[in-house]
Amino acid sequence: MNNQEVGYHTSYNGGLGLYNRPFNESFEETPLLVAVLTYMGYGILTIFGYLRDFLRDWKIERCHIAREREEQRDFVPLYQDFENFYTRNLYMRIRDSWNRPICSVPGAKVDLVERVSHDYNWTFDYTGRVVGGVINMGSYNYLGFAENTGYCAEAAAEVTMKYGVGVASTRQEMGNLDRHEEMEALVAKFLGVESAIAFGMGFATNSMNIPALSGKGCLILSDELNHASLVLGARLSGSTIRVFKHNNMQSLEKMLRDAIVHGQPRTHRPWKKILILVEGIYSMEGSIVRLPEVIALKKRFGAYLYLDEAHSIGALGPAGRGVVDYFGLDPRDVDVMMGTFTKSFGAAGGYIGGRRELIDYLRVHSHSAVYATSMSPPVVEQIITSMKCIMGEDGTTLGRERVKRLAENTVYFRRKMTEMGFIIYGNSDSPVVPMMLYLPAKIGAFGREMLKRNIGVVVVGFPATPIIESRARFCISAAHTKDMLDTALCVISEVGDLLQVKYSRHRRLPSLDRAFDHSIYDEIQD
């Protein structure tokens, strides 16, 4: 049986000679029967939703969700839309799968506060019991720096005693600490760029800086699966936005060519600038950007490249320096290198790196730089110490070992999941592992059954994904031991059989455990 017969799509290097390593991504198509059943499931839920809304209108059933007051019923609805309908009638049924309170460090294992609902998830009561030792397969703790012991935690505690927790000012006023300066210099060195600037919030790093770089008369070409922060930043900029197919270089090239040939609408004047927005690792698909091809296209057509490395920095590359390091490319070929400290570094905030002129411009024109309160000193110290650990500047090899262990765990977990018959999306080297669930009833069921077996997972549905592409998303960590992964895999297989979510028709034969191929992360010689 060939790949086309089972609807299995695998992406390879493309024969362009731009890659120095294998580039394999797979996106198995949804089985037809599963797609039909998924649509039917949502159809039935929608019908019953309208029936329950009818009962609520006639006061037969109580409605717990916020609604307009009686004196405003003739107004244009302020928040009654499809998302609200979805929240009332679909999300509430499985709301217990999200927002679970954690009462420990979000490391390889977590402790959860137990809660119950007596009104079908409208409200929750806490039992006072703690569910301990839950294997954490959902946090973005890629390198295991989310911890309360060790050098990083001790350094953050020491800085807290010296500087306090809050700065109570912006960087341009009285909130520019020496630790901020040291952190930004270290980030620039880590990325291999001239300069860098840090911000207190990762989301705002995108949403507030893109408008400073692009405006009216500019064209933004955005991947269709870009994060909401990139989408919001593009919209706030006032630029013309065109969306190209996910990781599809033919689609991007066509849009670049059309932009150069036709220019702006109506006037046909040349665009002031063309900015390409992509991510390093796409957090819902587990795919890695085809960066060598994107760089080749942006050079060919004279465009600028904005790279969001929120999930890839620290998690990819032989030195943990992200997707640029992963492909062995020159950081100077990326005009704007953005990333966050919230994942691999176990901290908070984001950064932008690039040429010194770019960073100096953002210090003056970025709303995040000018108006936001400075980053908290212990958070800054967590970033400094974890980054030095990754770079080996702490005098140990702990950081390099964590990068290597993450790569090993990722390859092992993805291989086992595929062998068990699940539909797994994304790149073979991506620590973000989406497992397709499809049917709405299985979103909540999978999360609940996994938690019953002491495994904490993230389940995702609309509007974070297309309405029929619900999934569970596993995030692999260097903190996971092989025993933890084997335990999780055993439970996933058990629940997969129980819920019948082993949809794949392109199942690999189980292979004997073999040593990790260390040549994957050999040092790339300059």
Side-chain angles (χ1 to χ4, degrees), residues 129-392:
R129 178 174 173 264
V130 173
V131 182
V134 177
I135 297 178
N136 181 5
M137 298 299 296
S139 295
Y140 309 129
N141 185 27
Y142 297 128
L143 294 181
F145 283 112
E147 51 195 0
N148 58 359
T149 59
Y151 174 65
C152 294
E154 292 170 1
E158 184 178 337
V159 165
T160 303
M161 297 304 295
K162 180 179 179 180
Y163 291 88
V165 175
V167 182
S169 183
T170 66
R171 290 284 297 276
Q172 291 190 353
E173 295 170 341
M174 297 295 292
N176 190 31
L177 304 180
D178 56 344
R179 307 306 287 169
H180 291 134
E181 300 278 354
E182 180 182 346
M183 173 188 62
E184 291 178 342
L186 186 65
V187 170
K189 181 180 178 181
F190 181 65
L191 298 175
V193 296
E194 294 179 7
S195 186
I197 181 173
F199 306 92
M201 181 181 178
F203 191 98
T205 304
N206 279 332
S207 61
M208 292 289 99
N209 282 291
I210 293 175
L213 298 172
S214 183
K216 188 175 181 180
C218 300
L219 174 65
I220 290 179
L221 300 180
S222 179
D223 188 290
E224 66 179 347
L225 296 182
N226 273 341
H227 189 263
S229 59
L230 290 169
V231 174
L232 178 60
R235 289 174 176 172
L236 291 176
S237 71
S239 304
T240 299
I241 305 169
R242 292 176 184 167
V243 179
F244 61 91
K245 294 179 181 178
H246 174 56
N247 236 359
N248 188 311
M249 296 302 103
Q250 289 75 25
S251 175
L252 175 58
E253 181 178 2
K254 183 179 185 302
M255 288 191 176
L256 283 167
R257 191 185 303 277
D258 290 345
I260 297 298
V261 171
H262 300 294
Q264 299 184 40
R266 294 190 300 275
T267 65
H268 299 293
R269 292 176 180 174
W271 295 100
K272 293 180 180 179
K273 71 180 76 167
I274 300 175
L275 183 64
I276 302 171
L277 303 183
V278 294
E279 295 186 46
I281 292 178
Y282 291 85
S283 59
M284 283 298 166
E285 305 301 311
S287 52
I288 297 175
V289 65
R290 304 182 73 93
L291 190 59
E293 295 175 66
V294 175
I295 289 177
L297 287 173
K298 79 107 180 174
K299 287 181 176 180
R300 180 179 173 188
F301 291 98
Y304 292 99
L305 175 59
Y306 186 110
L307 174 64
D308 179 346
E309 291 222 70
H311 286 268
S312 55
I313 193 68
L316 288 179
R321 289 182 166 91
V323 70
V324 176
D325 184 32
Y326 175 79
F327 287 113
L329 302 171
D330 188 343
R332 292 173 296 183
D333 288 334
V334 180
D335 302 288
V336 185
M337 296 184 70
M338 177 271 174
T340 63
F341 303 118
T342 55
K343 300 169 180 69
S344 292
F345 304 98
Y351 67 82
I352 284 181
R355 295 180 59 187
R356 193 171 305 278
E357 295 87 350
L358 167 70
I359 304 306
D360 290 344
Y361 173 84
L362 289 176
R363 290 190 194 280
V364 178
H365 292 86
S366 167
H367 286 74
S368 282
V370 176
Y371 299 111
T373 303
S374 301
M375 294 178 69
S376 175
V379 172
V380 172
E381 193 64 21
Q382 169 72 21
I383 296 166
I384 292 174
T385 52
S386 59
M387 191 170 290
K388 283 185 175 180
C389 181
I390 297 171
M391 298 169 70

Side-chain angles (χ1 to χ4, degrees), residues 1 5 90 175 202 226 238 333 426 479 498 512:
M1 182 179 292
E5 289 175 339
L90 283 78
N226 273 341
D333 288 334
L498 176 66
L512 297 175

Side-chain angles (χ1 to χ4, degrees), residues 494-513:
E494 178 186 341
V495 176
D497 289 330
L498 176 66
L499 301 181
Q500 298 181 349
V501 293
K502 294 183 178 180
Y503 299 120
S504 178
R505 293 170 293 168
H506 190 82
R507 191 174 306 188
R508 291 181 186 174
L509 295 175
S511 56
L512 297 175
D513 286 345

